[in-house]
Amino acid sequence: MAYGPKIIDHYENPRNVGNFGTSAETKNRKDIGVGLVGAPECGDVMQLQIKVNQQTGLIEDAKFKTFGCGSAIASSSLATEWLKGKNLDEASAIKNTQIVEELSLPPVKIHCSVLAEDAIRAALKDYKLKNGIAVPQEEHAH
Amino acid sequence: MTTPSTKPALKLDGIYMDHAATTPCDPRVVEAMLPYFTQNFGNPGSRNHSFGWKAEAGVDKAREQVAALIGADEKEIIFTSGATEGNNLAIKGAAYMYEKAPAGSQKRGHIITGTIEHKAVLDPCKRLQKEGFEVTFLSPPKDGVYTAEMIKAAMREDTILVSIMWANNEIGTINEIPEIGKLCHEHGAIFHVDGTQWVGKMPTNVERDNIDLLSFSGHKLYGPKGVGALYVRRRKPRVRLTSLFDGGGQERGFRSGTLNVTGIVGLGKACEIAMQEMDYDGQRLLALRQYMEAEVTKHLDSCEVNGHATKRLPHIANISFGFVEGEGLMMAIKDIACSSGSACTSASLEPSYVLKGLGVGDELAHSSLRLSMGRWTTKEEVDFAVKKIVEAVKKLRVMSPLYDMHKEGIDLSKVEWAHH
């Protein structure tokens, strides 16, 4: 597949690879929200973690790990960049179409951006549930 | 005794490890073809002038070269456009010619094939199924090798045709062709073999190997694209086929259409070279493949070489790299031309049906690379490929949530995944 320069840049120099601890550790941390979406047999799994400053309510850091193609890695790398510095409402407003546009994803790779949006929503939901914040109805859908 | 190679130099622009997809033309093949584009351009069907005679002489010579490679008589060679046409002509042509319904049945006869055949065999069989033939698609065992026992168990009174590939294009596994052929002959069924990956690489003798129909392509054996041959047995039994193309009656009526003289001359030359050099190439490539597989698995954990341990073609390695996705991996080793069973590299967005058919699991199918070497592959290139692959897999595993989970001791098959 011939990819655009932004996908290749994010693939070759992925931003914010990592996590804030093992799955057992992050489960018990109230300032961390974890989203794990996709399935190995589908060929994509994204794990997105956000770290929220509980005083300011802003996402002060975000990390990802992705099993998937170049577009999936680039989409999740971009998502972590966009999440940093946003509050929860701003973060939940990120749409897959913006990722498609920014990376110039080819049509067959649009599902990678959808997965990244799902990962963002899943991480936000996890954080909200841990902190007793009401989860909007639409976020239950994911 | 191995004949030493007299191969001419050929420097490819990049590291090419996709010879199971196609091979470069041997320069000796191109040289043999060139006069047939210009001076010897005639139509071999033109019987009344020297232009036609020269072209015909070129085709006759090629027919002898092709026949010699597979131990056939030159009258048994039908030139085609490639193995897809050869497979279609063999399977449909034999089915239409030999159709027979058991007493009281509305069906047209029974055909046996395998689920991990090439699409150019599966799809003609599926079409015949729609047209009233009964087709048994046999699943392979985990090592990918079809045995005569498996075919025997599926054989019926009304079985008219068995079609099994000699070696698999994705994993290189070698089926029990001579034994299956013997069984078919005992049962009076026609035996077709898709020999695309085999012929020109491994010793072939249609008599010894009990084959009735054998299709293959020029471009897999260092010949040109757009040309191939179908062997059609003429005695014990004499195999007849219903032709698919009607027209000028070329190729003894099996395949109408003006002959692709340049391509045929190239195919002939490629077969002649293959006959001289297959032992040398085969031994050299087997050593390289074994070295590559050993190096990769030495430097990386959670890797699996797919297919039978030994019953595999010398030049094809198919390896699953656990917790890393194939297309992402190919992006990281973009200096090396190869292919993957990952869904992301296919038009259908489905992972390899061959690896899935082996029961490898979708996850490992997504994580596979096929590296196939050829006449000009060097040890240095293999070393470079191994180094790049090892680096890339390690880098991608740092990014892989699945590798973390694996290291934490989480059983990935027990995780409830959010399917999308």
Side-chain angles (χ1 to χ4, degrees):
Chain A
M1 178 129 342
Y3 282 132
K6 283 188 181 167
I7 301 182
I8 292 177
D9 179 41
H10 273 279
Y11 173 79
E12 288 182 347
N13 311 293
R15 288 32 152 199
N16 310 306
V17 174
N19 53 43
F20 300 111
T22 64
S23 44
E25 287 161 12
T26 50
K27 205 171 198 165
N28 297 321
R29 279 184 61 176
K30 280 197 151 190
D31 61 331
I32 307 284
V34 178
L36 181 67
V37 297
E41 59 264 39
C42 302
D44 313 281
V45 175
M46 279 183 198
Q47 177 189 275
L48 193 70
Q49 301 190 344
I50 53 171
K51 187 176 169 202
V52 182
N53 181 319
Q54 303 206 282
Q55 262 79 58
T56 63
L58 297 179
I59 298 170
E60 59 177 25
D61 203 357
K63 299 274 187 200
F64 86 93
K65 288 214 176 192
T66 289
F67 162 82
C69 62
S71 301
I73 289 170
S75 298
S76 35
S77 168
L78 178 66
T80 57
E81 276 199 323
W82 281 357
L83 283 168
K84 284 201 221 179
K86 286 196 165 60
N87 67 33
L88 301 184
D89 289 341
E90 289 163 348
S92 63
I94 296 173
K95 290 278 173 285
N96 83 291
T97 49
Q98 297 167 300
I99 297 172
V100 172
E101 198 178 333
E102 173 67 16
L103 295 176
S104 309
L105 286 181
V108 297
K109 296 295 181 183
I110 287 175
H111 72 275
C112 296
S113 69
V114 174
L115 200 61
E117 185 187 316
D118 286 352
I120 294 172
R121 286 168 186 277
L124 290 169
K125 183 180 164 188
D126 182 57
Y127 176 80
K128 288 174 182 173
L129 289 175
K130 278 178 179 169
N131 289 280
I133 304 169
V135 179
Q137 198 58 39
E138 55 147 357
E139 287 179 29
H140 280 298
H142 286 277
Chain B
M1 264 303 283
T2 305
T3 319
S5 173
T6 52
K7 70 183 175 207
L10 180 62
K11 181 83 190 89
L12 301 177
D13 186 14
I15 296 182
Y16 186 74
M17 297 247 178
D18 208 9
H19 289 82
T22 193
T23 56
C25 255
D26 190 299
R28 292 167 287 185
V29 167
V30 178
E31 197 186 339
M33 291 170 72
L34 285 176
Y36 290 87
F37 284 101
T38 50
Q39 279 304 320
N40 305 343
F41 69 92
N43 187 330
S46 301
R47 293 285 157 79
N48 301 309
H49 52 67
S50 64
F51 294 94
W53 299 333
K54 276 187 197 159
E56 192 183 25
V59 170
D60 286 348
K61 184 179 175 196
R63 211 182 289 281
E64 286 167 19
Q65 290 164 319
V66 173
L69 178 66
I70 62 171
D73 184 279
E74 62 262 26
K75 290 195 194 73
E76 298 176 307
I77 303 300
I78 306 297
F79 288 115
T80 65
S81 60
T84 292
E85 186 192 333
N87 288 337
N88 271 270
L89 175 55
I91 293 168
K92 292 177 191 164
Y96 297 148
M97 182 58 74
Y98 293 96
E99 64 177 280
K100 66 169 179 191
S105 166
Q106 299 301 306
K107 295 290 183 180
R108 300 172 69 185
H110 178 235
I111 298 166
I112 299 171
T113 189
T115 54
I116 61 170
E117 292 288 315
H118 193 273
K119 293 278 185 193
V121 165
L122 291 176
D123 286 0
C125 287
K126 284 179 188 161
R127 181 178 294 272
L128 290 170
Q129 202 172 25
K130 284 196 195 109
E131 294 175 2
F133 291 87
E134 284 186 277
V135 184
T136 299
F137 294 95
L138 288 175
S139 296
K142 197 162 183 340
D143 66 16
V145 175
Y146 285 89
T147 63
E149 279 302 307
M150 297 174 62
I151 308 300
K152 193 174 181 181
M155 197 67 92
R156 305 190 330 202
E157 186 76 13
D158 60 335
T159 303
I160 52 174
L161 174 69
V162 174
S163 179
I164 296 290
M165 65 193 347
W166 210 322
N168 186 274
N169 52 305
E170 287 193 28
I171 50 176
T173 45
I174 298 168
N175 297 316
E176 284 186 1
I177 292 304
E179 295 83 356
I180 296 171
K182 184 164 176 280
L183 175 82
C184 289
H185 286 171
E186 285 163 10
H187 279 75
I190 300 290
F191 184 36
H192 167 247
V193 175
D194 174 359
T196 309
Q197 297 291 342
W198 174 277
V199 174
K201 315 285 170 60
M202 301 291 276
T204 306
N205 185 302
V206 289
E207 287 304 324
R208 179 197 64 205
D209 302 326
N210 308 311
I211 294 167
D212 298 322
L213 297 161
L214 176 67
S215 31
F216 54 100
S217 270
H219 74 103
K220 307 283 196 203
L221 51 117
Y222 311 97
K225 293 168 184 62
V227 67
L230 174 66
Y231 158 80
V232 183
R233 177 176 284 278
R234 265 168 72 88
R235 45 188 295 275
K236 294 185 184 175
R238 182 188 185 98
V239 176
R240 293 174 304 149
L241 299 174
T242 300
S243 66
L244 303 180
F245 295 178
D246 300 318
Q250 287 88 346
E251 297 299 87
R252 302 192 354 264
F254 280 109
R255 204 270 188 184
S256 287
T258 296
L259 296 182
N260 169 9
V261 178
T262 48
I264 289 167
V265 167
L267 172 62
K269 187 67 183 174
C271 288
E272 182 191 283
I273 298 168
M275 213 164 151
Q276 292 158 356
E277 305 204 346
M278 72 166 72
D279 285 356
Y280 174 86
D281 283 343
Q283 288 180 26
R284 197 180 71 85
L285 292 174
L286 177 63
L288 280 183
R289 193 204 80 203
Q290 288 172 336
Y291 170 72
M292 181 197 292
E293 290 169 353
E295 283 295 297
V296 163
T297 46
K298 186 171 88 189
H299 289 105
L300 293 169
D301 61 286
S302 309
C303 289
E304 185 121 9
V305 177
N306 294 309
H308 193 279
T310 54
K311 291 179 183 167
R312 270 188 298 133
L313 288 174
H315 64 291
I316 300 179
N318 188 305
I319 308 174
S320 290
F321 300 90
F323 320 112
V324 168
E325 197 277 333
E327 195 222 328
L329 179 54
M330 282 171 74
M331 257 178 99
I333 55 166
K334 57 183 184 304
D335 304 326
I336 301 154
C338 61
S339 60
S340 169
S342 151
C344 287
T345 61
S346 75
S348 63
L349 293 178
E350 279 291 317
S352 157
Y353 68 92
V354 173
L355 293 173
K356 280 174 71 175
L358 295 186
V360 159
D362 284 13
E363 182 197 334
L364 282 176
H366 281 292
S367 300
S368 71
L369 282 190
R370 179 187 69 181
L371 298 141
S372 47
M373 299 171 291
R375 191 169 281 163
W376 287 274
T377 305
T378 64
K379 164 96 170 14
E380 290 68 39
E381 288 176 327
V382 172
D383 280 326
F384 181 80
V386 168
K387 182 170 164 275
K388 284 280 173 186
I389 290 167
V390 169
E391 280 170 12
V393 170
K394 284 183 174 165
K395 179 186 165 188
L396 290 168
R397 280 182 177 169
V398 170
M399 264 194 256
S400 170
L402 303 181
Y403 194 55
D404 283 347
M405 294 164 89
H406 165 71
K407 282 188 299 182
E408 285 178 34
I410 296 168
D411 182 351
L412 295 179
S413 65
K414 301 247 158 60
V415 176
E416 230 178 87
W417 298 103
H419 288 260
H420 62 104

